[in-house]
């Protein structure tokens, strides 16, 4: 692998950059290309010709949108958005509510729940591209709800969950969701 390959992956080939390029591409195409023409007037004349041609190529290349890749499983992307937003909201609430020094153990429980919630919200974005999206996505959603829900309950109330087996059951569902990627 050459340095050029590594740089290409960092700038264009990784999933985050691809999503950003997809979004930008769709925004530019919805405006009939008028934004690209404005961009050319402002920025491109000041750039060297090689950068100009590369920039035009990246901005005008049609990448498949995440919704198109998801096909009929686009609801998992919506659920990922909802789950990510709820993780941010719960993270903000937890960072302000759990500030007392005597709640050190509860803060650790909360941080574990919030971290798992975020990771699996992001993982839900990839569910439509799996071989069995309904199985993987369902296990991931149920596992996240049970595991993180039980930990959030413990962190916010200070009490053990009424059903103590929810967190291990949720963890098992998360493990099964990841293992379903192998099949």
């Amino acid at each position: 692998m050459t340095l050029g390959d590594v740089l290409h992956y960092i700038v264009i080939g990784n999933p985050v950059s691809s999503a950003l390029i997809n979004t930008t591409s769709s925004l530019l195409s919805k405006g009939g290309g008028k934004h690209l023409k404005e961009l050319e007037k402002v920025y491109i004349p000041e750039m060297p010709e090689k950068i100009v041609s590369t920039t035009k190529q990246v901005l005008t290349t049609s990448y498949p949108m995440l919704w198109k890749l998801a096909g009929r499983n686009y609801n998992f992307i919506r659920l990922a958005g909802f789950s990510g937003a709820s993780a941010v909201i719960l993270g903000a609430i937890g960072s302000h509510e759990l500030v007392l020094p005597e709640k050190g153990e509860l803060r650790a429980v909360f941080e574990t729940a919030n971290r798992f919630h975020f990771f699996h919200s992001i993982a839900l974005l990839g569910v439509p591209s799996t071989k069995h999206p309904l199985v993987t996505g369902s296990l991931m959603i149920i596992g996240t709800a049970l595991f993180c829900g039980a930990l959030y309950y413990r962190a916010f109330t200070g009490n053990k969950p009424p059903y103590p087996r929810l967190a291990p059951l949720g963890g098992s569902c998360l493990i099964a969701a990841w293992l379903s990627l192998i099949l």
Side-chain angles (χ1 to χ4, degrees), residues 40-98:
E40 286 177 355
K41 289 179 190 172
V42 176
Y43 296 105
I44 293 181
E46 300 169 6
M47 296 181 192
E49 186 56 38
K50 187 172 184 178
I51 294 174
V52 171
S53 64
T54 305
T55 305
K56 283 182 182 178
Q57 181 181 5
V58 168
L59 289 175
T60 58
T61 303
S62 176
Y63 291 96
M65 296 300 296
L66 189 57
W67 293 101
K68 289 180 183 174
L69 290 174
R72 65 175 201 247
N73 297 306
Y74 66 92
N75 285 330
F76 286 115
I77 295 174
R78 288 182 170 170
L79 287 170
F82 175 76
S83 181
S86 64
V88 171
I89 291 167
L90 288 167
I93 292 170
S95 69
H96 295 292
E97 292 293 321
L98 302 173

Side-chain angles (χ1 to χ4, degrees), residues 97-143:
E97 292 293 321
L98 302 173
V99 292
L100 300 176
E102 61 268 10
K103 293 187 177 181
E105 176 195 349
L106 297 179
R107 176 163 289 292
V109 169
F110 169 78
E111 288 175 355
T112 299
N114 201 240
R115 184 174 51 251
F116 271 74
H117 192 170
F118 268 117
F119 288 157
H120 289 91
S121 296
I122 294 168
L124 273 173
L125 289 172
V127 165
S129 65
T130 64
K131 187 173 181 182
H132 306 288
L134 192 59
V135 173
T136 303
S138 298
L139 285 169
M140 198 165 290
I141 290 166
I142 292 168

